[in-house]
Amino acid sequence: MKISVDIARTIVREISNTIHQNVNLMDESGYIIASTNPARTGTRHVGAQKIISEQLEYLTINTDGEYEGAKSGINMPLYFGREIVGVLGITGEWDQIKPYIDLIRKTSETLLMNFYLQKREGEIQKEQNQYLYHLLSEDVEHLPKDFISMGTRVGIDMLTARRCICISFRQGQGMQVEKPHIFLEQTEQTIHQIQGYPRQSFSYREADQLAVFVPIEKREEIERLIAQTAEKLNLPAGVILKAGVDDQPCAGMELRRGKERAQKSLKAAMLSQERDVVYYHELTFGVFISEIPDESKREYLARVFKGITDTELQYWMELLEIFYACEGSITRTAEKMFIHKNTLQYQLKKLKSVTGYDPRSISNAAIYQNALWFWKELL
């Protein structure tokens, strides 16, 4: 294992803070890569090279310059497994350093082991992400025949049936949060802490959403997990966790179908003012909305709302959303909008004159509901 500059600096800092002496760390070729004296970084330490070439247990240097690039003190090899991966040098008298020798060695090698484990965990996570990308995105015919069993090699059990939950965040009324990846990363860590990672649950993070696969089936368990996650995240005021859930547990290649359904449900949740969690089996029009091209959505809006500006369209959409959320009640809608009932009735009549469709008519409600779906999708 090669010691990186970052971990070398960490080791030097920790040892120096413990024994209050100047400390250097040399790499496997005997060059100083981290030091409490930055001027020595990058210079050759012949004492360290002697330790490496002769496999010495330690080397005491009695006077400055006894070995080129070295000062008086003690130098000891750092092992990872059976291999010397570096040399640690402490400047000072032997009597000052001797009581700390074992502590220094154990601390340094523990830091190296922790660094290795973190690095390996990152490599495993990368392998899992690549595997899940192929699972969820690549054409099935292009995948190897043993693709399902390959999951075991990267720590993912593909045979256990799981539900898919897609999660994203909204801020305010229909607005995407800035830098969603921060919330998504925190959500991923939180859910894995609750559920157990990686065999119990696994996840796939994209730019604006997180797909989580969990081995739970009951609706109350899913809602408890989502609620616990939102609570532990301690989200800023105005930021709302939104989730879409598939309709049944899936395993193997069927996990792709689960994600597609959870993703459609998430879109419906993102568009809803009333519901933060939407299940696929509850969807109606939302099942198909993602399959309608954006150009068709724009054309629909242009036909219903003839010749009005974007600002005017936003006003009518916000009015209609509240109106239909209040089940067409003039009184409740007026209260929510903080306007008089007569003012609201005048606005609804005006909307009818603009579009030709009466929003209070049951037969026309679907026209406006579709428009609301499309408008939110295009935001």
Side-chain angles (χ1 to χ4, degrees):
M1 183 188 74
K2 185 178 180 64
I3 302 177
S4 71
V5 172
D6 286 341
I7 191 62
R9 288 172 177 167
T10 299
I11 292 173
V12 165
R13 183 176 62 251
E14 293 296 323
I15 299 301
S16 177
N17 289 341
T18 301
I19 65 173
H20 307 292
Q21 299 284 349
N22 288 325
V23 179
N24 304 296
L25 198 152
M26 286 67 76
D27 64 12
E28 74 283 0
S29 60
Y31 281 81
I32 299 175
I33 56 174
S35 174
T36 50
N37 179 3
R40 297 187 67 186
T41 302
T43 61
R44 185 170 69 145
H45 193 293
V46 173
Q49 292 179 333
K50 180 178 177 65
I51 288 175
I52 295 167
S53 62
E54 298 180 18
Q55 302 282 297
L56 301 179
E57 184 178 353
Y58 63 85
L59 176 67
T60 302
I61 299 176
N62 297 308
T63 60
D64 292 354
E66 183 178 346
Y67 292 90
E68 181 186 342
K71 293 183 179 295
S72 62
I74 188 166
N75 299 269
M76 66 190 75
L78 294 181
Y79 282 86
F80 188 81
R82 298 182 179 180
E83 177 187 5
I84 296 178
V85 293
V87 175
L88 192 68
I90 299 95
T91 302
E93 298 295 331
W94 168 255
D95 290 341
Q96 296 175 310
I97 302 168
K98 183 179 179 181
Y100 301 103
I101 292 297
D102 290 339
L103 173 64
I104 292 168
R105 194 189 303 274
K106 289 179 181 178
T107 300
S108 301
E109 293 181 351
T110 298
L111 288 170
L112 283 175
M113 177 58 71
N114 290 340
F115 168 72
Y116 169 79
L117 293 175
Q118 290 172 6
K119 182 180 178 182
R120 181 58 187 145
E121 183 178 345
E123 291 172 350
I124 292 172
Q125 183 66 62
K126 185 177 179 180
E127 291 172 357
Q128 290 175 343
N129 287 341
Q130 290 175 340
Y131 182 85
L132 291 173
Y133 170 79
H134 293 309
L135 169 69
L136 301 172
S137 304
E138 195 165 322
D139 290 339
V140 176
E141 57 268 24
H142 294 156
L143 299 175
K145 292 181 179 179
D146 62 342
F147 182 76
I148 297 301
S149 62
M150 287 171 59
T152 306
R153 302 174 203 169
V154 297
I156 295 178
D157 170 16
M158 292 289 292
L159 300 180
T160 299
R162 293 175 173 84
R163 297 292 295 273
C164 180
I165 307 170
C166 283
I167 295 173
S168 190
F169 294 87
R170 197 184 70 186
Q171 186 167 18
Q173 192 166 358
M175 295 175 60
Q176 293 278 357
V177 298
E178 294 184 5
K179 299 180 180 179
H181 65 279
I182 296 175
F183 294 109
L184 294 173
E185 183 176 350
Q186 292 173 350
T187 302
E188 186 174 29
Q189 293 171 353
T190 300
I191 289 179
H192 290 322
Q193 288 171 1
I194 296 172
Q195 282 298 114
Y197 181 79
R199 290 189 177 273
Q200 289 300 311
S201 66
F202 53 85
S203 58
Y204 182 69
R205 183 162 22 113
E206 299 175 89
D208 58 354
Q209 73 171 35
L210 173 71
V212 184
F213 299 88
V214 292
I216 56 180
E217 182 174 354
K218 294 181 179 179
R219 178 169 178 153
E220 56 266 29
E221 292 178 335
I222 292 172
E223 293 184 349
R224 188 182 307 120
L225 173 61
I226 294 171
Q228 287 177 341
T229 301
E231 182 180 356
K232 288 179 178 293
L233 288 174
N234 193 21
L235 296 169
V239 176
I240 305 168
L241 185 150
K242 294 282 188 172
V245 187
D246 63 5
D247 55 340
Q248 64 183 29
C250 298
M253 294 306 299
E254 286 298 300
L255 289 168
R256 181 183 303 213
R257 180 180 62 82
K259 191 226 179 189
E260 290 171 352
R261 296 189 171 187
Q263 194 167 1
K264 288 183 178 181
S265 304
L266 174 62
K267 284 192 174 184
M270 293 291 286
L271 298 176
S272 173
Q273 294 293 327
E274 294 77 34
R275 304 194 58 189
D276 296 334
V277 182
V278 173
Y279 293 79
Y280 183 79
H281 69 269
E282 299 169 339
L283 291 181
T284 52
F285 187 60
V287 174
F288 311 105
I289 192 169
S290 61
E291 299 170 9
I292 300 173
D294 286 352
E295 189 56 39
S296 298
K297 296 169 188 172
R298 294 189 185 93
E299 184 178 350
Y300 183 93
L301 289 171
R303 289 190 180 191
V304 174
F305 299 89
K306 307 174 184 70
I308 69 170
T309 66
D310 290 343
T311 302
E312 291 171 325
L313 179 61
Q314 180 171 343
Y315 173 78
W316 292 124
M317 291 292 98
E318 291 173 355
L319 183 151
L320 286 168
E321 183 171 22
I322 297 172
F323 180 65
Y324 289 124
C326 294
E327 302 293 340
S329 168
I330 296 294
T331 301
R332 288 165 53 202
T333 304
E335 288 175 353
K336 287 209 169 203
M337 295 185 69
F338 302 103
I339 60 176
H340 195 275
K341 290 189 292 183
N342 292 343
T343 302
L344 174 60
Q345 289 175 328
Y346 170 77
Q347 293 293 337
L348 293 173
K349 289 177 182 178
K350 183 178 178 181
L351 179 57
K352 178 183 177 182
S353 69
V354 170
T355 65
Y357 303 107
D358 184 355
R360 292 170 292 187
S361 167
I362 295 176
S363 60
N364 291 333
I367 295 173
Y368 286 118
Q369 291 282 13
N370 290 348
L372 272 169
W373 276 97
F374 292 158
W375 178 70
K376 289 181 177 181
E377 274 277 295
L378 293 170
L379 284 178

